Amino acid sequence: MRKFALLLLLFLLNISFLFAQKEVSGVVKENIGNALPGVNIVEKGTQNGVSTDMNGAYKIKVKDGATLVFSYVGFAKLEKAVTSAVLNVVLSEEGGQNLNEVVVTGSRTAPRSNTTSALPIDVISAKDLASTGQASFDKALQYKIPSFNTVQTPVNDATSLLDPYEIRNMGPSRTLILINGKRKNLSSLLYVQTSPGRGETGADISAIPTDAIERVEILRDGASAQYGSDAIAGVMNIILKKGTRDGSVTVRSGMTSAGDGEMLGVSLNNGTTVGEKGFINYTIDFSKVNLSNRPGTVDAAGEAADFGASLSDVQAFLAKKPDAGNINGSPETAAAKFLVNGGSELSETSQLYYNAAYVYKKVNSFANYRTPYWITLASAPYLKDLFGDGTAASYQGYVPTFEGDLNDYNGTLGYKSTKNDWNTDASITVGGNTQSYTVNNSQNRSNIVDGNGAQVYRDNSPISFKPGGTAFNHIVGNLDVSKILSDKVSIGFGSEMRTETFEVIEGDKASWDGMGADSFAGNRPENSGSWNRYNLGAYFDLAYDVTKDFLINGTVRYEDYSDFGGATVWKLSSRYKFLDDKITLRGSISTGFRAPTLHQIYTQKSQYSFLPGQGIQVSGIINNVSPQARKLEIDPLDAEKSTNITIGIGAKPTKNFNFTVDYYNIKVEDRIVLGDRKDTDFGNVAWFENSFDSRTSGLDVVANYNNLLLGSGKLGFNLSGNITFQNERISPVKKDNFGPILESLMFTSRPETKWILGVNYEIGKFGFSINNTYFGKSTFNQDGLATNDPNAPVGSANYLKANLKTEFIPKVITDLGVTFSATEKLTLALNVNNLLNVLPEWKFVAENAKGVELLNDPAQVKNQSNLITFNQRYSQMTYDGYHFSQLGTMFNLSLNYKF
């Protein structure tokens, strides 16, 4: 009887349990609408769980009042109470907020939205980048971020592999580049030409395939305390795609309105689940862009004067080649890019993540054409054999090529875990960049004979050279820990160890012996080698929500470098929200630093450069650890130090309208510069030094108005702008090797203001966009126009003051975009960049009474113009630079097919 009663009780308990259960089903998606297969779903407090299928669907039986826990690698864990039989959820990326709101850049504690952060942050989506129609990531940012500037330099050489870019006119080396929050390696290229970016280096962001990018977060504020060196101007964090469905292939083609610069590219982005709890997203991108050539009509009188040739000889040649055979514009470029991003959930509280990229670029460009009156048969009769068929009439000069091969790679492997609400992230990152060069159709003109009295070069010179190259790599270890201690306090702390290696690769002997390869001499053995350093860093970050509206965030960091010592920096930021979060006041003050790069410390080389009125001359760079530097009493390089102040306001008065206005003020002490060439006992040389202090201040404005109904479509407006108030040197220079020419390259060669006004309209299957980018004036004190003021002290404002300067006239570039969604899977896009074919235009501006006198004399104006354009070879942009592309209208057509 007892046994029967016990069985009856168990039966009744089981019946009650079954009746207490309910079945719940639904679909799990990510916040851009893609279904998520393999999501782990567990009934909280039990072992009862399931995973979503390939369509993101799930079905599970749970008790009444249960809570489901949704987790997936790379996304924030989500808990949802079961209140109905159907429960659809959307998971957000790590940080737990909507894609268009959450930002992970700028704080080492809990992520916040970009409307509630204490710092100004731009969020650019993959769609925004694609809408520009630009072929590369860096050029897309040029037309999306007003404070971001980049442009191809007139004379490319190694710069053709990577154009210098910058935020807030601070140079490429003062913006830190992150990929998924981890430091990307620098390029091995050091810019040494007389153009914007001179003396600096930066990461190769053009190497990153655009189709692999989910979004870009750009922190427009100093962040050395959070991330270490290089973050003086700001931080660019590139977030990679995680999607496992809706892969696509994109085919792109285009050309300029001049009929050159043909472009063809194909890109594949796709993803898949790995096992039950992992994912991988991958991108493969191939592209080819042909040469675009924009030479000027060369002035015969200027040529004759520069090269000491007879005017009749010059005119005879220019009658056949009005551009003197010069080739300048945009070089031929081929690229192959590969990138993967993935992760796997090891348990409910831990995950493995990884990403890796490899890029190969091949660039073919040209040096200045060596005309037959420049290097004559009278001085070198063997040229008719090297560059002709052996007859005098066959020699028409020659144009050396510059061919560059670039390999860039980076990879990260990391582990995240959560235990007792402590979040731990440990990772190792490797990255490197190698560039090797080839010079063809050139010669070594050196008069060197062997032991038998035979010429080694000249008539026996090879015409193909391997001048060597450069390489840079780093290994970075990171450990980051954070915890939300309460509803008011969260902390973060961590450490970083980084080792860096820079190598100058020796060229073949013919490329450097004597005068070396004409146009680009190779790396000499004594200037070649490999150098290494390491640094250790640690930081602590504390965020305190005094109230739900008032936040204070502070960070302190210490780093120690093996080659110059330590640096301690800090940052304090705050924001206050009111009117139901419609208005946010924010501000920050911080100190920062930038370590001199190994490139700046150890580069020593000879280079061919155009000197106004003297043609092409050979000069050199001596490094700061050389015997020559000690004899010239040049100090070793130390870190730059900075102080950043930012004050801003953000507002979201309505759901569809928001704007931000931020003032910034950046002081940089001991700024590292590559100075002017000086005549010394070692020849005409330049060197790096901590030369002076500078200050940069300005205003950033961003405003958006979206979802305005117009007919059956939606209209949106966006306006963003950057205004420079001050960008100048505020202290004397240490030596007399920095004049107004370099000062203008550093401080006035980028637009003093830049605005972007965009209009978007979507109706049915069509989307229309029109962007107007206003490039404000930029000015140059050109090499060749400088004159000594005998009464001015060395290094003063009037030292080497020019009578004239050049000013690039403000212009508006209009871009048109049209998209057509033919089907759910097929989309066509047409972009017409620079619709109205607007080209750079400059004018002379008098600096003094002598300048006014020169401008009143047409012959003098022509002479001055010849000096800065190499006798009109670069008449559209001048030899030292310009403020936007000279290629004019460009047509781009793309086809995107979703799987």
Side-chain angles (χ1 to χ4, degrees), residues 136 138 160-163 204-208 287 332-337 358-364 403-408 433-436:
S136 61
D138 59 332
S160 61
L161 287 161
L162 173 61
D163 297 319
D204 186 0
I205 61 174
S206 66
I208 301 169
S287 63
E332 178 184 84
T333 304
K337 307 175 183 180
Y358 170 74
V359 173
Y360 170 75
K361 267 197 282 189
K362 174 75 172 179
V363 173
N364 295 324
E403 302 165 29
D405 292 86
L406 177 147
N407 292 270
D408 191 278
N433 180 279
T434 302
Q435 300 183 23
S436 57

PDB file of all heavy atoms in Angstrom, residues 136 138 160-163 204-208 287 332-337 358-364 403-408 433-436:
ATOM      1  N   SER A 136      39.319  52.901 -52.421  1.00  0.00           N
ATOM      2  CA  SER A 136      40.043  52.427 -51.245  1.00  0.00           C
ATOM      3  C   SER A 136      39.479  53.071 -49.982  1.00  0.00           C
ATOM      4  O   SER A 136      38.818  54.113 -50.017  1.00  0.00           O
ATOM      5  CB  SER A 136      41.543  52.725 -51.361  1.00  0.00           C
ATOM      6  OG  SER A 136      41.769  54.119 -51.460  1.00  0.00           O
ATOM      7  N   ASP A 138      40.945  54.596 -47.407  1.00  0.00           N
ATOM      8  CA  ASP A 138      41.421  55.925 -47.015  1.00  0.00           C
ATOM      9  C   ASP A 138      40.756  57.025 -47.831  1.00  0.00           C
ATOM     10  O   ASP A 138      40.412  58.089 -47.305  1.00  0.00           O
ATOM     11  CB  ASP A 138      42.948  56.013 -47.112  1.00  0.00           C
ATOM     12  CG  ASP A 138      43.476  55.724 -48.503  1.00  0.00           C
ATOM     13  OD1 ASP A 138      42.836  54.973 -49.245  1.00  0.00           O
ATOM     14  OD2 ASP A 138      44.551  56.252 -48.857  1.00  0.00           O
ATOM     15  N   SER A 160      54.072  56.350 -53.566  1.00  0.00           N
ATOM     16  CA  SER A 160      52.995  55.805 -54.392  1.00  0.00           C
ATOM     17  C   SER A 160      52.375  54.564 -53.771  1.00  0.00           C
ATOM     18  O   SER A 160      51.252  54.189 -54.092  1.00  0.00           O
ATOM     19  CB  SER A 160      53.519  55.480 -55.794  1.00  0.00           C
ATOM     20  OG  SER A 160      54.548  54.500 -55.730  1.00  0.00           O
ATOM     21  N   LEU A 161      53.102  53.900 -52.858  1.00  0.00           N
ATOM     22  CA  LEU A 161      52.573  52.716 -52.192  1.00  0.00           C
ATOM     23  C   LEU A 161      51.611  53.064 -51.073  1.00  0.00           C
ATOM     24  O   LEU A 161      50.787  52.241 -50.671  1.00  0.00           O
ATOM     25  CB  LEU A 161      53.722  51.881 -51.627  1.00  0.00           C
ATOM     26  CG  LEU A 161      54.556  51.114 -52.663  1.00  0.00           C
ATOM     27  CD1 LEU A 161      55.890  50.722 -52.077  1.00  0.00           C
ATOM     28  CD2 LEU A 161      53.801  49.897 -53.150  1.00  0.00           C
ATOM     29  N   LEU A 162      51.705  54.271 -50.546  1.00  0.00           N
ATOM     30  CA  LEU A 162      50.892  54.646 -49.389  1.00  0.00           C
ATOM     31  C   LEU A 162      50.845  56.161 -49.265  1.00  0.00           C
ATOM     32  O   LEU A 162      51.857  56.790 -48.967  1.00  0.00           O
ATOM     33  CB  LEU A 162      51.496  54.040 -48.105  1.00  0.00           C
ATOM     34  CG  LEU A 162      50.883  54.452 -46.773  1.00  0.00           C
ATOM     35  CD1 LEU A 162      49.420  54.045 -46.712  1.00  0.00           C
ATOM     36  CD2 LEU A 162      51.654  53.833 -45.628  1.00  0.00           C
ATOM     37  N   ASP A 163      49.668  56.742 -49.513  1.00  0.00           N
ATOM     38  CA  ASP A 163      49.524  58.195 -49.423  1.00  0.00           C
ATOM     39  C   ASP A 163      49.440  58.632 -47.963  1.00  0.00           C
ATOM     40  O   ASP A 163      48.769  57.992 -47.151  1.00  0.00           O
ATOM     41  CB  ASP A 163      48.257  58.649 -50.155  1.00  0.00           C
ATOM     42  CG  ASP A 163      48.316  58.352 -51.632  1.00  0.00           C
ATOM     43  OD1 ASP A 163      49.390  58.543 -52.228  1.00  0.00           O
ATOM     44  OD2 ASP A 163      47.292  57.916 -52.202  1.00  0.00           O
ATOM     45  N   ASP A 204      49.151  51.481 -42.843  1.00  0.00           N
ATOM     46  CA  ASP A 204      48.593  51.443 -44.196  1.00  0.00           C
ATOM     47  C   ASP A 204      47.111  51.083 -44.123  1.00  0.00           C
ATOM     48  O   ASP A 204      46.733  49.918 -44.230  1.00  0.00           O
ATOM     49  CB  ASP A 204      49.350  50.430 -45.050  1.00  0.00           C
ATOM     50  CG  ASP A 204      48.913  50.463 -46.508  1.00  0.00           C
ATOM     51  OD1 ASP A 204      48.017  51.273 -46.845  1.00  0.00           O
ATOM     52  OD2 ASP A 204      49.443  49.681 -47.315  1.00  0.00           O
ATOM     53  N   ILE A 205      46.255  52.088 -43.959  1.00  0.00           N
ATOM     54  CA  ILE A 205      44.820  51.802 -43.882  1.00  0.00           C
ATOM     55  C   ILE A 205      44.228  51.532 -45.259  1.00  0.00           C
ATOM     56  O   ILE A 205      43.164  50.913 -45.362  1.00  0.00           O
ATOM     57  CB  ILE A 205      44.055  52.955 -43.188  1.00  0.00           C
ATOM     58  CG1 ILE A 205      44.204  54.270 -43.952  1.00  0.00           C
ATOM     59  CG2 ILE A 205      44.508  53.102 -41.751  1.00  0.00           C
ATOM     60  CD1 ILE A 205      43.361  55.388 -43.385  1.00  0.00           C
ATOM     61  N   SER A 206      44.908  51.953 -46.329  1.00  0.00           N
ATOM     62  CA  SER A 206      44.404  51.663 -47.670  1.00  0.00           C
ATOM     63  C   SER A 206      44.477  50.171 -47.969  1.00  0.00           C
ATOM     64  O   SER A 206      43.843  49.683 -48.908  1.00  0.00           O
ATOM     65  CB  SER A 206      45.194  52.439 -48.723  1.00  0.00           C
ATOM     66  OG  SER A 206      46.542  51.991 -48.791  1.00  0.00           O
ATOM     67  N   ALA A 207      45.255  49.421 -47.180  1.00  0.00           N
ATOM     68  CA  ALA A 207      45.401  47.987 -47.398  1.00  0.00           C
ATOM     69  C   ALA A 207      44.209  47.199 -46.872  1.00  0.00           C
ATOM     70  O   ALA A 207      44.058  46.018 -47.188  1.00  0.00           O
ATOM     71  CB  ALA A 207      46.677  47.489 -46.718  1.00  0.00           C
ATOM     72  N   ILE A 208      43.345  47.822 -46.087  1.00  0.00           N
ATOM     73  CA  ILE A 208      42.228  47.098 -45.465  1.00  0.00           C
ATOM     74  C   ILE A 208      41.069  47.025 -46.458  1.00  0.00           C
ATOM     75  O   ILE A 208      40.594  48.049 -46.935  1.00  0.00           O
ATOM     76  CB  ILE A 208      41.782  47.811 -44.178  1.00  0.00           C
ATOM     77  CG1 ILE A 208      42.959  47.893 -43.200  1.00  0.00           C
ATOM     78  CG2 ILE A 208      40.603  47.091 -43.539  1.00  0.00           C
ATOM     79  CD1 ILE A 208      42.717  48.787 -42.025  1.00  0.00           C
ATOM     80  N   SER A 287      41.949  43.806 -57.066  1.00  0.00           N
ATOM     81  CA  SER A 287      41.671  45.035 -57.803  1.00  0.00           C
ATOM     82  C   SER A 287      42.865  45.426 -58.663  1.00  0.00           C
ATOM     83  O   SER A 287      44.012  45.085 -58.358  1.00  0.00           O
ATOM     84  CB  SER A 287      41.323  46.185 -56.851  1.00  0.00           C
ATOM     85  OG  SER A 287      42.424  46.491 -56.017  1.00  0.00           O
ATOM     86  N   GLU A 332      49.766  53.102 -61.686  1.00  0.00           N
ATOM     87  CA  GLU A 332      49.134  51.809 -61.885  1.00  0.00           C
ATOM     88  C   GLU A 332      49.301  50.973 -60.612  1.00  0.00           C
ATOM     89  O   GLU A 332      50.407  50.847 -60.085  1.00  0.00           O
ATOM     90  CB  GLU A 332      49.783  51.095 -63.066  1.00  0.00           C
ATOM     91  CG  GLU A 332      49.231  49.708 -63.332  1.00  0.00           C
ATOM     92  CD  GLU A 332      49.971  49.007 -64.440  1.00  0.00           C
ATOM     93  OE1 GLU A 332      51.028  48.412 -64.153  1.00  0.00           O
ATOM     94  OE2 GLU A 332      49.505  49.067 -65.597  1.00  0.00           O
ATOM     95  N   THR A 333      48.195  50.419 -60.134  1.00  0.00           N
ATOM     96  CA  THR A 333      48.220  49.686 -58.874  1.00  0.00           C
ATOM     97  C   THR A 333      47.420  48.397 -58.999  1.00  0.00           C
ATOM     98  O   THR A 333      46.291  48.411 -59.501  1.00  0.00           O
ATOM     99  CB  THR A 333      47.621  50.530 -57.733  1.00  0.00           C
ATOM    100  OG1 THR A 333      48.313  51.773 -57.644  1.00  0.00           O
ATOM    101  CG2 THR A 333      47.728  49.807 -56.400  1.00  0.00           C
ATOM    102  N   ALA A 334      47.992  47.300 -58.539  1.00  0.00           N
ATOM    103  CA  ALA A 334      47.284  46.026 -58.433  1.00  0.00           C
ATOM    104  C   ALA A 334      47.363  45.575 -56.983  1.00  0.00           C
ATOM    105  O   ALA A 334      48.401  45.739 -56.329  1.00  0.00           O
ATOM    106  CB  ALA A 334      47.895  44.983 -59.358  1.00  0.00           C
ATOM    107  N   ALA A 335      46.266  45.017 -56.461  1.00  0.00           N
ATOM    108  CA  ALA A 335      46.246  44.627 -55.055  1.00  0.00           C
ATOM    109  C   ALA A 335      45.453  43.339 -54.872  1.00  0.00           C
ATOM    110  O   ALA A 335      44.444  43.106 -55.545  1.00  0.00           O
ATOM    111  CB  ALA A 335      45.642  45.745 -54.202  1.00  0.00           C
ATOM    112  N   ALA A 336      45.920  42.525 -53.952  1.00  0.00           N
ATOM    113  CA  ALA A 336      45.210  41.321 -53.510  1.00  0.00           C
ATOM    114  C   ALA A 336      45.114  41.380 -51.991  1.00  0.00           C
ATOM    115  O   ALA A 336      46.141  41.541 -51.309  1.00  0.00           O
ATOM    116  CB  ALA A 336      45.940  40.063 -53.966  1.00  0.00           C
ATOM    117  N   LYS A 337      43.900  41.277 -51.465  1.00  0.00           N
ATOM    118  CA  LYS A 337      43.681  41.436 -50.031  1.00  0.00           C
ATOM    119  C   LYS A 337      42.877  40.247 -49.494  1.00  0.00           C
ATOM    120  O   LYS A 337      41.883  39.846 -50.096  1.00  0.00           O
ATOM    121  CB  LYS A 337      42.923  42.745 -49.750  1.00  0.00           C
ATOM    122  CG  LYS A 337      43.562  43.978 -50.372  1.00  0.00           C
ATOM    123  CD  LYS A 337      42.723  45.228 -50.165  1.00  0.00           C
ATOM    124  CE  LYS A 337      43.337  46.442 -50.860  1.00  0.00           C
ATOM    125  NZ  LYS A 337      42.524  47.676 -50.664  1.00  0.00           N
ATOM    126  N   TYR A 358      46.145  39.647 -44.825  1.00  0.00           N
ATOM    127  CA  TYR A 358      47.365  39.728 -45.640  1.00  0.00           C
ATOM    128  C   TYR A 358      47.033  40.526 -46.894  1.00  0.00           C
ATOM    129  O   TYR A 358      45.996  40.321 -47.528  1.00  0.00           O
ATOM    130  CB  TYR A 358      47.881  38.348 -46.038  1.00  0.00           C
ATOM    131  CG  TYR A 358      48.980  38.426 -47.080  1.00  0.00           C
ATOM    132  CD1 TYR A 358      50.256  38.849 -46.732  1.00  0.00           C
ATOM    133  CD2 TYR A 358      48.724  38.132 -48.416  1.00  0.00           C
ATOM    134  CE1 TYR A 358      51.260  38.958 -47.681  1.00  0.00           C
ATOM    135  CE2 TYR A 358      49.719  38.233 -49.376  1.00  0.00           C
ATOM    136  CZ  TYR A 358      50.986  38.647 -49.006  1.00  0.00           C
ATOM    137  OH  TYR A 358      51.969  38.774 -49.950  1.00  0.00           O
ATOM    138  N   VAL A 359      47.925  41.448 -47.253  1.00  0.00           N
ATOM    139  CA  VAL A 359      47.705  42.313 -48.411  1.00  0.00           C
ATOM    140  C   VAL A 359      48.983  42.366 -49.234  1.00  0.00           C
ATOM    141  O   VAL A 359      50.089  42.529 -48.689  1.00  0.00           O
ATOM    142  CB  VAL A 359      47.308  43.740 -47.971  1.00  0.00           C
ATOM    143  CG1 VAL A 359      47.257  44.672 -49.172  1.00  0.00           C
ATOM    144  CG2 VAL A 359      45.977  43.727 -47.257  1.00  0.00           C
ATOM    145  N   TYR A 360      48.824  42.221 -50.533  1.00  0.00           N
ATOM    146  CA  TYR A 360      49.940  42.430 -51.457  1.00  0.00           C
ATOM    147  C   TYR A 360      49.550  43.538 -52.429  1.00  0.00           C
ATOM    148  O   TYR A 360      48.461  43.527 -53.003  1.00  0.00           O
ATOM    149  CB  TYR A 360      50.269  41.156 -52.242  1.00  0.00           C
ATOM    150  CG  TYR A 360      51.256  41.403 -53.371  1.00  0.00           C
ATOM    151  CD1 TYR A 360      52.607  41.597 -53.094  1.00  0.00           C
ATOM    152  CD2 TYR A 360      50.831  41.479 -54.697  1.00  0.00           C
ATOM    153  CE1 TYR A 360      53.512  41.840 -54.112  1.00  0.00           C
ATOM    154  CE2 TYR A 360      51.733  41.721 -55.722  1.00  0.00           C
ATOM    155  CZ  TYR A 360      53.065  41.902 -55.428  1.00  0.00           C
ATOM    156  OH  TYR A 360      53.952  42.159 -56.439  1.00  0.00           O
ATOM    157  N   LYS A 361      50.449  44.513 -52.597  1.00  0.00           N
ATOM    158  CA  LYS A 361      50.223  45.605 -53.548  1.00  0.00           C
ATOM    159  C   LYS A 361      51.430  45.726 -54.484  1.00  0.00           C
ATOM    160  O   LYS A 361      52.579  45.624 -54.049  1.00  0.00           O
ATOM    161  CB  LYS A 361      50.031  46.939 -52.821  1.00  0.00           C
ATOM    162  CG  LYS A 361      48.599  47.301 -52.528  1.00  0.00           C
ATOM    163  CD  LYS A 361      48.441  48.770 -52.189  1.00  0.00           C
ATOM    164  CE  LYS A 361      48.853  49.093 -50.787  1.00  0.00           C
ATOM    165  NZ  LYS A 361      48.491  50.480 -50.404  1.00  0.00           N
ATOM    166  N   LYS A 362      51.138  45.958 -55.742  1.00  0.00           N
ATOM    167  CA  LYS A 362      52.175  46.211 -56.739  1.00  0.00           C
ATOM    168  C   LYS A 362      51.865  47.556 -57.375  1.00  0.00           C
ATOM    169  O   LYS A 362      50.761  47.774 -57.881  1.00  0.00           O
ATOM    170  CB  LYS A 362      52.166  45.114 -57.803  1.00  0.00           C
ATOM    171  CG  LYS A 362      53.121  45.355 -58.967  1.00  0.00           C
ATOM    172  CD  LYS A 362      54.559  45.091 -58.584  1.00  0.00           C
ATOM    173  CE  LYS A 362      55.477  45.139 -59.797  1.00  0.00           C
ATOM    174  NZ  LYS A 362      56.882  44.909 -59.439  1.00  0.00           N
ATOM    175  N   VAL A 363      52.845  48.472 -57.348  1.00  0.00           N
ATOM    176  CA  VAL A 363      52.640  49.816 -57.868  1.00  0.00           C
ATOM    177  C   VAL A 363      53.718  50.117 -58.906  1.00  0.00           C
ATOM    178  O   VAL A 363      54.914  49.877 -58.669  1.00  0.00           O
ATOM    179  CB  VAL A 363      52.686  50.867 -56.740  1.00  0.00           C
ATOM    180  CG1 VAL A 363      52.649  52.272 -57.306  1.00  0.00           C
ATOM    181  CG2 VAL A 363      51.519  50.670 -55.785  1.00  0.00           C
ATOM    182  N   ASN A 364      53.293  50.646 -60.051  1.00  0.00           N
ATOM    183  CA  ASN A 364      54.219  51.075 -61.096  1.00  0.00           C
ATOM    184  C   ASN A 364      54.071  52.573 -61.302  1.00  0.00           C
ATOM    185  O   ASN A 364      52.999  53.046 -61.699  1.00  0.00           O
ATOM    186  CB  ASN A 364      53.929  50.345 -62.411  1.00  0.00           C
ATOM    187  CG  ASN A 364      54.174  48.854 -62.307  1.00  0.00           C
ATOM    188  OD1 ASN A 364      55.088  48.414 -61.621  1.00  0.00           O
ATOM    189  ND2 ASN A 364      53.351  48.070 -62.983  1.00  0.00           N
ATOM    190  N   GLU A 403      59.058  50.985 -59.290  1.00  0.00           N
ATOM    191  CA  GLU A 403      58.131  49.883 -59.074  1.00  0.00           C
ATOM    192  C   GLU A 403      58.255  49.409 -57.635  1.00  0.00           C
ATOM    193  O   GLU A 403      59.363  49.159 -57.158  1.00  0.00           O
ATOM    194  CB  GLU A 403      58.429  48.744 -60.058  1.00  0.00           C
ATOM    195  CG  GLU A 403      58.339  49.193 -61.510  1.00  0.00           C
ATOM    196  CD  GLU A 403      58.976  48.211 -62.472  1.00  0.00           C
ATOM    197  OE1 GLU A 403      58.996  47.006 -62.158  1.00  0.00           O
ATOM    198  OE2 GLU A 403      59.457  48.659 -63.526  1.00  0.00           O
ATOM    199  N   GLY A 404      57.137  49.331 -56.978  1.00  0.00           N
ATOM    200  CA  GLY A 404      57.152  48.954 -55.570  1.00  0.00           C
ATOM    201  C   GLY A 404      56.296  47.730 -55.298  1.00  0.00           C
ATOM    202  O   GLY A 404      55.220  47.567 -55.880  1.00  0.00           O
ATOM    203  N   ASP A 405      56.785  46.868 -54.428  1.00  0.00           N
ATOM    204  CA  ASP A 405      56.034  45.696 -53.963  1.00  0.00           C
ATOM    205  C   ASP A 405      55.831  45.825 -52.465  1.00  0.00           C
ATOM    206  O   ASP A 405      56.806  45.987 -51.710  1.00  0.00           O
ATOM    207  CB  ASP A 405      56.787  44.405 -54.280  1.00  0.00           C
ATOM    208  CG  ASP A 405      56.863  44.130 -55.764  1.00  0.00           C
ATOM    209  OD1 ASP A 405      57.796  44.650 -56.419  1.00  0.00           O
ATOM    210  OD2 ASP A 405      55.996  43.417 -56.267  1.00  0.00           O
ATOM    211  N   LEU A 406      54.579  45.769 -52.044  1.00  0.00           N
ATOM    212  CA  LEU A 406      54.244  45.930 -50.629  1.00  0.00           C
ATOM    213  C   LEU A 406      53.567  44.672 -50.120  1.00  0.00           C
ATOM    214  O   LEU A 406      52.644  44.139 -50.754  1.00  0.00           O
ATOM    215  CB  LEU A 406      53.337  47.145 -50.432  1.00  0.00           C
ATOM    216  CG  LEU A 406      52.825  47.431 -49.017  1.00  0.00           C
ATOM    217  CD1 LEU A 406      52.674  48.945 -48.811  1.00  0.00           C
ATOM    218  CD2 LEU A 406      51.477  46.761 -48.737  1.00  0.00           C
ATOM    219  N   ASN A 407      54.030  44.191 -48.976  1.00  0.00           N
ATOM    220  CA  ASN A 407      53.379  43.094 -48.258  1.00  0.00           C
ATOM    221  C   ASN A 407      53.043  43.587 -46.864  1.00  0.00           C
ATOM    222  O   ASN A 407      53.915  44.071 -46.139  1.00  0.00           O
ATOM    223  CB  ASN A 407      54.299  41.874 -48.169  1.00  0.00           C
ATOM    224  CG  ASN A 407      54.544  41.221 -49.518  1.00  0.00           C
ATOM    225  OD1 ASN A 407      53.826  40.337 -49.932  1.00  0.00           O
ATOM    226  ND2 ASN A 407      55.589  41.680 -50.209  1.00  0.00           N
ATOM    227  N   ASP A 408      51.778  43.478 -46.495  1.00  0.00           N
ATOM    228  CA  ASP A 408      51.324  43.948 -45.189  1.00  0.00           C
ATOM    229  C   ASP A 408      50.494  42.841 -44.550  1.00  0.00           C
ATOM    230  O   ASP A 408      49.613  42.268 -45.200  1.00  0.00           O
ATOM    231  CB  ASP A 408      50.492  45.224 -45.333  1.00  0.00           C
ATOM    232  CG  ASP A 408      50.228  45.904 -43.992  1.00  0.00           C
ATOM    233  OD1 ASP A 408      49.293  45.474 -43.278  1.00  0.00           O
ATOM    234  OD2 ASP A 408      50.956  46.851 -43.666  1.00  0.00           O
ATOM    235  N   ASN A 433      55.048  45.047 -42.191  1.00  0.00           N
ATOM    236  CA  ASN A 433      54.936  45.697 -43.492  1.00  0.00           C
ATOM    237  C   ASN A 433      56.319  45.684 -44.135  1.00  0.00           C
ATOM    238  O   ASN A 433      57.294  46.118 -43.525  1.00  0.00           O
ATOM    239  CB  ASN A 433      54.424  47.135 -43.330  1.00  0.00           C
ATOM    240  CG  ASN A 433      54.293  47.862 -44.645  1.00  0.00           C
ATOM    241  OD1 ASN A 433      55.261  48.379 -45.190  1.00  0.00           O
ATOM    242  ND2 ASN A 433      53.076  47.929 -45.156  1.00  0.00           N
ATOM    243  N   THR A 434      56.388  45.156 -45.349  1.00  0.00           N
ATOM    244  CA  THR A 434      57.644  45.111 -46.085  1.00  0.00           C
ATOM    245  C   THR A 434      57.453  45.757 -47.448  1.00  0.00           C
ATOM    246  O   THR A 434      56.453  45.502 -48.124  1.00  0.00           O
ATOM    247  CB  THR A 434      58.123  43.661 -46.277  1.00  0.00           C
ATOM    248  OG1 THR A 434      58.275  43.045 -44.999  1.00  0.00           O
ATOM    249  CG2 THR A 434      59.454  43.622 -47.013  1.00  0.00           C
ATOM    250  N   GLN A 435      58.403  46.605 -47.838  1.00  0.00           N
ATOM    251  CA  GLN A 435      58.359  47.244 -49.143  1.00  0.00           C
ATOM    252  C   GLN A 435      59.704  47.054 -49.834  1.00  0.00           C
ATOM    253  O   GLN A 435      60.748  47.344 -49.247  1.00  0.00           O
ATOM    254  CB  GLN A 435      58.035  48.735 -48.998  1.00  0.00           C
ATOM    255  CG  GLN A 435      56.693  48.983 -48.324  1.00  0.00           C
ATOM    256  CD  GLN A 435      56.332  50.451 -48.241  1.00  0.00           C
ATOM    257  OE1 GLN A 435      56.836  51.256 -49.012  1.00  0.00           O
ATOM    258  NE2 GLN A 435      55.459  50.798 -47.322  1.00  0.00           N
ATOM    259  N   SER A 436      59.654  46.542 -51.047  1.00  0.00           N
ATOM    260  CA  SER A 436      60.866  46.380 -51.838  1.00  0.00           C
ATOM    261  C   SER A 436      60.672  47.098 -53.167  1.00  0.00           C
ATOM    262  O   SER A 436      59.554  47.164 -53.691  1.00  0.00           O
ATOM    263  CB  SER A 436      61.179  44.903 -52.065  1.00  0.00           C
ATOM    264  OG  SER A 436      60.097  44.249 -52.699  1.00  0.00           O
TER     265      SER A 436
END
